[in-house]
Amino acid sequence: MNNLIQSEWYKLCRDRSFRAIILIISASGLFWSIFQYIDHRMDGESPVTGIEMWKSALLGNYMMIIGMCVLAGFFISSEYTTGVMKSIASSGNSRRRIIAAKQLVFALGSVILGLLFPVINCVVATLLSGFGELPGESTSLYFIRTLGLLVLYAAAFASIATLIATLMAESGKTIAFTMVFFLFIDMFFAVVGQYISFVETIYSYTVFKLLYDIGNVSLDGSLLVRMVVIPVITFVCFGLLSAWVYRRKEIK
């Protein structure tokens, strides 16, 4: 298992799409934080602090989702079309271990992509304006809590993308479907929830809804427990589903 994880990590580090996404997100984070600083100074407003930029960058974190969708297509699905997955499956390792190693490394890559934009915004804004404080809550505890939640949700979203990539087994289809799925799943729940109240209740217990609550300053105890438990359950359940699909999949 360790050899499989090291092999997947080696491939991820040398994946051109992963490097390109990191560069794009880094450039976007750098541009956005400097633009916010200049814009506030020109309007005569107090500059945005590091913790404020961190908080605003957590709202949805679409940079992570888009980057993860592209990475799923090139890092997972493309290996089906190029025959890499068939070669690995015939190497003697069990399929359960193969897909588990790939999902773990892909989740780690998604965590890196998810942290990149908020961290760059926070660091640049801190250098320009200071770290700042939040009213009503310890700033350091807020930062640590949101950082941990962001890691959990990036891993949970990665497990969903892994299942889609395993089903599609083609990079173009995976990128297109995952983007449409993640960007419009909220709209689906909102529209259907207007007519079926049960659907709205389900939505409030999904990672799609709870992702938007990560940046909230004050969280009650029950909501915080829900925000920790649900992404863990999502990661495990979709991981098991991906393993089940991969074990029964005919690899050409």
Side-chain angles (χ1 to χ4, degrees):
M1 185 66 180
N2 288 335
N3 291 336
L4 285 172
I5 293 175
Q6 290 178 7
S7 173
E8 294 297 334
W9 176 249
Y10 179 84
K11 287 190 290 183
L12 179 67
C13 293
R14 283 151 184 79
D15 191 299
R16 292 181 179 178
S17 62
F18 184 58
R19 294 180 179 181
I21 296 167
I22 286 178
L23 288 175
I24 292 171
I25 294 179
S26 300
S28 301
L30 186 62
F31 166 78
W32 182 245
S33 52
I34 294 175
F35 171 79
Q36 286 291 313
Y37 176 78
I38 295 174
D39 184 56
H40 279 70
R41 292 297 297 265
M42 291 181 67
D43 292 340
E45 302 173 353
S46 57
V48 185
T49 62
I51 194 63
E52 289 173 337
M53 286 296 290
W54 169 266
K55 181 184 173 186
S56 64
L58 295 177
L59 295 175
N61 205 345
Y62 288 105
M63 298 296 290
M64 175 195 75
I65 294 175
I66 294 173
M68 183 188 65
C69 293
V70 175
L71 184 62
F74 287 105
F75 182 65
I76 301 177
S77 292
S78 64
E79 291 198 346
Y80 286 97
T81 54
T82 58
V84 174
M85 292 300 282
K86 184 177 181 178
S87 300
I88 300 175
S90 60
S91 65
N93 292 294
S94 70
R95 289 195 176 194
R96 179 178 59 81
R97 289 188 175 187
I98 293 171
I99 195 67
K102 185 164 282 294
Q103 177 171 327
L104 285 173
V105 174
F106 177 64
L108 182 58
S110 299
V111 168
I112 293 172
L113 297 181
L115 291 175
L116 206 54
F117 188 75
V119 167
I120 290 176
N121 273 275
C122 181
V123 170
V124 175
T126 299
L127 292 174
L128 295 173
S129 315
F131 188 65
E133 295 181 352
L134 290 174
E137 183 167 348
S138 168
T139 306
S140 57
L141 287 178
Y142 172 81
F143 182 79
I144 294 171
R145 187 191 74 207
T146 51
L147 180 69
L149 288 174
L150 189 56
V151 170
L152 288 178
Y153 280 78
F157 274 71
S159 68
I160 299 172
T162 301
L163 176 61
I164 296 174
T166 305
L167 289 169
M168 294 293 175
E170 188 176 320
S171 58
K173 291 180 180 177
T174 298
I175 294 171
F177 187 85
T178 49
M179 280 192 178
V180 171
F181 177 80
F182 285 123
L183 297 179
F184 290 95
I185 188 67
D186 300 300
M187 185 182 298
F188 168 79
F189 277 111
V191 173
V192 178
Q194 291 179 348
Y195 303 97
I196 307 174
S197 58
F198 181 65
V199 173
E200 188 175 1
T201 304
I202 293 176
Y203 179 52
S204 63
Y205 285 87
T206 64
V207 290
F208 311 114
K209 168 66 172 61
L210 295 174
L211 176 68
Y212 297 100
D213 294 327
I214 292 178
N216 290 349
V217 175
S218 299
L219 293 176
D220 60 61
S222 61
L223 178 59
L224 182 58
V225 171
R226 197 193 315 167
M227 292 182 68
V228 172
V229 172
I230 288 178
V232 174
I233 294 175
T234 302
F235 182 79
V236 173
C237 290
F238 277 89
L240 293 174
L241 277 174
S242 297
W244 184 82
V245 170
Y246 183 63
R247 290 173 63 184
R248 286 158 178 76
K249 191 175 186 65
E250 181 183 357
I251 305 176
K252 299 180 181 178

